[in-house]
Amino acid sequence: ALFFLFVADIDWAAVLLIAAGSTIGGQLGARVARRLRPQVLRGVIVVVGVVAITQLLLRD
């Protein structure tokens, strides 16, 4: 990260949006995950992972 900080052009607007989305998503995700049964949470994690892998593999 330090290398890219000095070498690459950084879009700070994108950095701020990603940071805000990650913070809000992490807080909301933790609250939702605590309310789910462990089996349901595992199922959601597996489905999200399979969808992400499928999209990466089928990308043009």
Side-chain angles (χ1 to χ4, degrees):
L2 289 175
F3 175 76
F4 285 108
L5 183 63
F6 294 107
V7 176
D9 292 326
I10 298 172
D11 184 357
W12 289 106
V15 170
L16 291 175
L17 287 172
I18 291 170
S22 297
T23 302
I24 293 168
Q27 293 296 319
L28 291 176
R31 287 185 182 156
V32 170
R34 281 191 217 118
R35 293 182 180 171
L36 294 176
R37 292 184 323 206
Q39 296 85 0
V40 174
L41 181 59
R42 283 188 203 110
V44 169
I45 291 169
V46 169
V47 168
V48 169
V50 169
V51 168
I53 290 170
T54 303
Q55 285 185 343
L56 287 171
L57 292 175
L58 297 178
R59 192 182 258 179
D60 289 336

